Amino acid sequence: MAKLPPADWTQRDDLAQLVAVLGADTIRWVGGAVRDTLLGARVKDVDAATTLQPDAVLAKLKEAGIKAIPTGLDHGTITAVLPDAPVEITTLRRDVSTDGRRATVSFASQWSDDAARRDFTINALYVDPQTLQISDYFNGLADLDARLVRFIGDAEQRIREDHLRILRYYRFQARFGAELDAEAEAAVATLASTLKGLSRERVAMELLALLALPDPYATVQRMAKAGVLGVVLPEAGAAQLAAFTALRAAEDADAAPPDPLRRLAALLPADAPMAKQVAARLRLSNAQRKQLLLLAKRDTYATDPRALAFRHGRETARDLLLLSGQKSDAIQSWDIPTFPLKGGVIVARGVGAGPEVARILQTVEARWIAEGFPDISRVEQILSEELP
C-alpha cells in the first residue's frame, strides 16, 4: 500500500493532539492536503474525515479544551481551531438526493461511501494519520501520476448532481491536468447550460479561482470552444479571447504575477457600463467592482507609465499597461512622488478658498505630470503662470 511522504504538516503537534482526542481509528486526512503533498505542492489547508457523528466530535473537542466552530453542521462539518491552523472535520457522508445545486446527505460509516460522493479521483485519497498509508478507492494515485482529472463514476451523472462541477473540472484540469479525459470533456460541453441555474456567487468564486492560476489560458479557450464560457461570461466574444491571449504574452514578457481581475478585464470589452453589469451579475465585492470598472476604462487613460502609476498606484498601473500590451519596467523601481503643492499655498497667493483653488490645483498637477514630475521650483513657476 502506498504511503504519503512525510511533510511539515503531517508532523504538527496540534494535529497529533487532534488525532489523540478523536481517536486514531476514527480519522483520516483527505482532499487537497493529501493531493498537494503527493505533487510536492504547498499545502494550504488540512481537512479530515471521521467516522464520528458531529455531536461526538463537538463533545470530544470541548472536553479537550479545543475551540470548535459548527461551520457546516447540517452537512457534518466542524472546524477545530488549532494553534497552527484550523482543520475542517467532516463526518463520512453519502448523498441521499441532489438537484444540481445542493445535496441532501446522510452520515455513513464506510470510508468508501464517503469517497464515492467526491468529485474527482485525485480528491478521494485518504491517509491514516499514524501510518501515513493511503487508501485509494478509485485509482486516484494513477490519475495523479498521469496528471489526469477524472470524475468518479459517470461524468454526466456527477455533473447533474452538482452543476458547479463543470467549473471545478476546468479549474482542477488547469491546475493539475496534462492529459485530457475524453469522457469529462464531452460531459462538461453537453451540460454547459446547467450552469445557468447556479448562484452567481458560486460561479464567480470558481471563475476567479481559475483565472488566478498560473496558466489558465488554454483552459479558458477550451471552455469557449465547449460553450461553457459563453454561459458564464457571454461578453467574452472572439475579440476578447484574442485580447486574453495577447495578455498572456504581455504577462510573460513582464514576469507579472497572476491576477484574476486583470484577466477578467481582458475577457471583457473596454466598456465601463458592461463591466459594471458583469460585476453586479457576479456579485463581486465592492473593491473588486471598483477595480474591474477602472480597468474597463483603460482606453480612456493616457498610456504614460509613470502618469498611470501616480494616478492609480503601481499595481493598477501595471495592469493597465499589460492590458494595452506594454511592459511596466518604468514604474517597478520608481518612487512615486507626492504632489508638492497644497491648497493653502494658493490661498496665500490671494485666491479665495473654494472651487477655484481646486481647479488651479488640478491644472497645476496635470501640467506637473505632463512635464515628468519636476521639482518644487518648477511647480511654483507653473502656479504663477496659472494664477489669475
Side-chain angles (χ1 to χ4, degrees):
M1 183 178 289
K3 295 182 69 173
L4 189 74
D8 289 344
W9 68 270
T10 63
Q11 301 172 53
R12 281 171 44 183
D13 290 339
D14 57 350
L15 291 185
Q17 181 195 10
L18 179 66
V19 171
V21 167
L22 297 183
D25 59 336
T26 73
I27 186 172
R28 298 288 185 271
W29 309 132
V30 67
V34 176
R35 180 197 63 228
D36 292 349
T37 299
L38 290 167
L39 290 171
R42 184 172 71 89
V43 171
K44 296 181 180 179
D45 303 303
V46 177
D47 295 325
T50 181
T51 56
L52 295 173
Q53 296 286 300
D55 55 353
V57 174
L58 285 170
K60 286 178 175 290
L61 293 177
K62 181 179 180 180
E63 184 180 357
I66 298 174
K67 182 179 178 180
I69 304 173
T71 44
L73 199 56
D74 289 345
H75 286 78
T77 300
I78 293 159
T79 298
V81 182
L82 303 180
D84 288 344
V87 174
E88 281 197 354
I89 307 163
T90 303
T91 300
L92 302 185
R93 299 173 295 181
R94 65 164 63 92
D95 289 336
V96 174
S97 64
T98 59
D99 64 4
R101 292 172 295 171
R102 62 186 67 85
T104 300
V105 300
S106 65
F107 298 130
S109 59
Q110 301 299 315
W111 302 102
S112 56
D113 288 339
D114 191 72
R117 73 175 303 274
R118 294 181 180 270
D119 45 14
F120 308 116
T121 62
I122 62 174
N123 291 338
L125 301 170
Y126 295 70
V127 170
D128 184 301
Q130 291 189 315
T131 66
L132 297 186
Q133 288 187 328
I134 301 172
S135 296
D136 178 10
Y137 300 96
F138 298 101
N139 295 317
L141 288 171
D143 289 342
L144 203 57
D145 286 342
R147 297 295 192 272
L148 178 65
V149 180
R150 184 169 60 88
F151 283 95
I152 294 172
D154 180 76
E156 284 198 21
Q157 176 59 34
R158 302 317 306 278
I159 292 171
R160 292 184 191 280
E161 293 169 358
D162 183 351
H163 305 323
L164 193 68
R165 285 174 175 159
I166 293 175
L167 296 183
R168 282 177 58 81
Y169 166 75
Y170 282 114
R171 175 165 63 87
F172 276 85
Q173 214 287 322
R175 184 180 175 193
F176 303 116
E179 181 181 348
L180 295 179
D181 181 70
E183 181 186 352
E185 291 287 309
V188 294
T190 298
L191 297 174
S193 63
T194 63
L195 288 166
K196 295 177 181 178
L198 291 175
S199 74
R200 298 299 93 189
E201 292 92 341
R202 295 185 77 196
V203 169
M205 178 184 69
E206 282 294 335
L207 181 60
L208 292 177
L210 168 64
L211 293 176
L213 293 175
D215 187 7
Y217 290 94
T219 298
V220 171
Q221 294 288 349
R222 288 201 343 272
M223 290 171 65
K225 186 176 180 180
V228 173
L229 188 65
V231 176
V232 298
L233 200 67
E235 297 82 2
Q240 282 64 57
L241 285 169
F244 187 65
T245 300
L247 176 62
R248 177 183 188 172
E251 288 181 345
D252 289 346
D254 204 67
D259 185 272
L261 286 177
R262 179 205 304 143
R263 291 166 171 177
L264 178 58
L267 285 169
L268 300 175
D271 182 306
M274 182 179 291
K276 188 175 182 180
Q277 290 176 0
V278 171
R281 188 177 76 232
L282 295 180
R283 308 284 165 74
L284 300 183
S285 69
N286 289 337
Q288 290 172 326
R289 292 184 189 203
K290 181 179 178 181
Q291 181 71 357
L292 187 63
L293 189 61
L294 191 155
L295 296 179
K297 297 176 182 178
R298 53 191 176 271
D299 289 350
T300 67
Y301 298 126
T303 55
D304 175 66
R306 291 187 171 183
L308 288 173
F310 175 77
R311 293 197 180 280
H312 305 294
R314 196 184 318 275
E315 295 308 312
T316 296
R318 184 181 206 176
D319 290 343
L320 290 166
L321 291 167
L322 291 173
L323 286 166
S324 64
Q326 299 183 66
K327 297 183 70 174
S328 64
D329 310 49
I331 62 173
Q332 287 309 312
S333 59
W334 181 54
D335 290 330
I336 301 175
T338 300
F339 182 46
L341 183 63
K342 303 295 183 185
V345 174
I346 299 174
V347 172
R349 297 282 292 269
V351 178
E356 182 64 8
V357 172
R359 185 196 67 77
I360 293 172
L361 270 175
Q362 291 174 357
T363 302
V364 174
E365 182 185 72
R367 289 184 59 182
W368 176 68
I369 293 171
E371 292 186 16
F373 308 94
D375 61 21
I376 184 62
S377 62
R378 175 57 185 150
V379 172
E380 291 172 347
Q381 290 177 2
I382 296 172
L383 174 60
S384 296
E385 295 168 6
E386 293 296 335
L387 285 173

